[in-house]
Amino acid sequence: MKLKTTLALAAALAFTASANASMIDYSETGAGTIQLSLVNTAATMSAMFDLGIDTNSFVAGAYSKAGTRITWNLNTGTVGGNTTLAGNVTGSWSAAWDAYKANAVVGVNTSRFGVWGGDNDLNGNTGGAGRRLVSTANSTGVSMTNAQLSNALGASQTSYIRASDLLGNHAAVANGANTATSGGAYEAAPGGAAQNFGGAAGNINPTQVIGQAAYLLQIEANGISPSVQTTKAYFGNPTLDLNLDGKKDYATFNFDAASGVLTYAVAAAPVPEPTSLALMLAGLAGVGFLAHRRRAA
């Protein structure tokens, strides 16, 4: 009887632990939850989706590698692509996505998106050693001081996550979602947590119009002096053009309103078409044949 009681208690505790899926805010070392935020610029409704990965894991996951691709489908709750996240992470996002579509205009120039992650205490250090991942409309010329980063990671964003955590299905499922029309979880433009990047964004625009690409920027504290510029680096290969399209290979986020799919991608070198490859091999063979004839002569 005692054994049955013990097993029942253990099962209950295990269920409670798995169901208690509260998001991790930016005050906890390395593990701030990465979210997708949608906000209607007509100040109708905002929505937030837990993407199922923490900041530290994303940074350490080699997601700048050429050819990396991850998709989050808000309708089906599935994650695809070619990384360890694909097939291993699921979300309960459809109810919030349906509510957002029903109450907000999800179209170009009326709705924006942003992807966020943060760590207020990088590697256990003190003195404001924080880190922030943020999708941004800026591809160059970004500027942010340590003080602005600290503000962005501080009370505004932490309160936003905690307020969102009380809404939707976050408390009941892993990787949930919520909508908001007021209060601390509402990202009304301008002035919402996402729009103003925690109150002091420097010149970084942390949201992008739906239908356009946003670049993923990693920002880290540079020492402890408030006025010093942070260290900033783009994910991807911003010095290369592997696919020869005339653009640098930044890692980008795109959100498709028609399908409800968020895509993260890093460009890769194009694979030659079979006909092109055959012509190239034939050319090499011809060069080899001519070289052989010259040696024979």
Side-chain angles (χ1 to χ4, degrees), residues 120-122 125-131 146 149-150 153 220-224:
N120 198 41
D121 185 17
L122 181 59
N125 297 323
T126 58
R131 170 172 56 198
N146 284 337
L149 174 61
S150 179
L153 291 166
E220 291 192 8
N222 182 13
I224 60 175

Side-chain angles (χ1 to χ4, degrees), residues 64 66 139-140 215-216 232-251 266-267:
S64 277
S139 61
T140 59
Y215 310 97
L216 181 60
K232 296 168 283 290
Y234 286 97
F235 268 61
N237 305 290
T239 62
L240 303 177
D241 180 13
L242 292 175
N243 61 356
L244 304 177
D245 64 352
K247 301 177 182 178
K248 298 303 182 182
D249 297 334
Y250 293 98
V266 184

Side-chain angles (χ1 to χ4, degrees), residues 42-248:
T44 303
M45 177 178 280
S46 65
M48 196 268 275
F49 306 84
D50 183 348
L51 297 182
I53 187 170
D54 61 80
T55 300
N56 198 47
S57 297
F58 199 96
V59 170
Y63 294 137
S64 277
K65 183 179 178 181
T68 298
R69 181 178 174 84
I70 313 172
T71 60
W72 291 265
N73 190 315
L74 302 188
N75 289 299
T76 63
T78 55
V79 178
N82 57 6
T83 73
T84 54
L85 285 181
N88 294 321
V89 172
T90 58
S92 299
W93 306 313
S94 60
W97 171 232
D98 288 343
Y100 185 80
K101 288 188 296 182
N103 292 279
V105 181
V106 191
V108 174
N109 296 323
T110 60
S111 196
R112 304 181 71 90
F113 78 98
V115 179
W116 333 94
D119 174 6
N120 198 41
D121 185 17
L122 181 59
N123 298 325
N125 297 323
T126 58
R131 170 172 56 198
R132 186 81 150 97
L133 295 181
V134 58
S135 64
T136 172
N138 305 75
S139 61
T140 59
V142 292
S143 174
M144 174 168 279
T145 66
N146 284 337
Q148 290 169 329
L149 174 61
S150 179
N151 192 27
L153 291 166
S156 177
Q157 286 291 323
T158 296
S159 297
Y160 162 62
I161 293 174
R162 291 176 179 176
S164 297
D165 225 357
L166 299 175
L167 303 175
N169 56 4
H170 294 293
V173 301
N175 311 322
N178 67 276
T179 59
T181 56
S182 63
Y186 180 39
E187 299 178 46
Q195 289 291 315
N196 67 5
F197 200 63
N203 72 336
I204 297 173
N205 182 352
T207 60
Q208 178 60 291
V209 173
I210 287 178
Q212 298 184 20
Y215 310 97
L216 181 60
L217 183 63
Q218 179 175 329
I219 309 168
E220 291 192 8
N222 182 13
I224 60 175
S225 176
S227 61
V228 171
Q229 280 289 310
T230 55
T231 301
K232 296 168 283 290
Y234 286 97
F235 268 61
N237 305 290
T239 62
L240 303 177
D241 180 13
L242 292 175
N243 61 356
L244 304 177
D245 64 352
K247 301 177 182 178
K248 298 303 182 182

